[in-house]
Amino acid sequence: MALIIGGLMVSALITQTSAIENKKAEKVKLEQQLTKLQSKQKQLKGEIVKLNDDDYIKKIARRDYFLSEDGEIIFNVKKD
């Protein structure tokens, strides 16, 4: 009887150890994901600050949409 109870206890211990290892691996993976997301959030907050700046918006508009100021001519030069 003691052997059966001992066997069940060892089996439960092994199962719990395996579950703990799986949870630790999942925790590490989620912590890495959290770090990446926090970095992305910081980058996006910086972009929000920049987009509230009129000079930055003008720079983007000039670069991406070839908008010009009064009296200015834009020449497209191909880069090889």
Side-chain angles (χ1 to χ4, degrees), residues 20-34:
I20 289 172
E21 291 300 320
N22 289 339
K23 293 294 180 181
K24 283 181 181 179
E26 184 179 355
K27 180 183 175 188
V28 168
K29 182 179 175 183
L30 290 173
E31 285 175 342
Q32 291 173 347
Q33 186 178 4
L34 176 63

Side-chain angles (χ1 to χ4, degrees), residues 2-16:
L3 189 59
I4 292 173
I5 292 174
L8 289 174
M9 291 176 81
V10 169
S11 174
L13 182 64
I14 291 172
T15 303
Q16 288 177 354

Side-chain angles (χ1 to χ4, degrees), residues 5-75:
I5 292 174
L8 289 174
M9 291 176 81
V10 169
S11 174
L13 182 64
I14 291 172
T15 303
Q16 288 177 354
T17 304
S18 175
I20 289 172
E21 291 300 320
N22 289 339
K23 293 294 180 181
K24 283 181 181 179
E26 184 179 355
K27 180 183 175 188
V28 168
K29 182 179 175 183
L30 290 173
E31 285 175 342
Q32 291 173 347
Q33 186 178 4
L34 176 63
T35 302
K36 288 179 184 177
L37 289 173
Q38 286 173 336
S39 174
K40 181 72 172 176
Q41 181 183 20
K42 188 175 181 180
Q43 175 190 0
L44 290 173
K45 283 184 178 182
E47 187 70 19
I48 289 170
V49 169
K50 288 179 183 178
L51 288 173
N52 286 323
D53 181 18
D54 289 337
D55 291 332
Y56 181 76
I57 293 172
K58 288 178 187 177
K59 178 182 171 185
I60 298 297
R62 293 179 78 188
R63 182 190 70 204
D64 294 345
Y65 301 108
F66 304 109
L67 298 178
S68 64
E69 293 180 1
D70 292 335
E72 187 177 50
I73 300 173
I74 297 177
F75 294 97

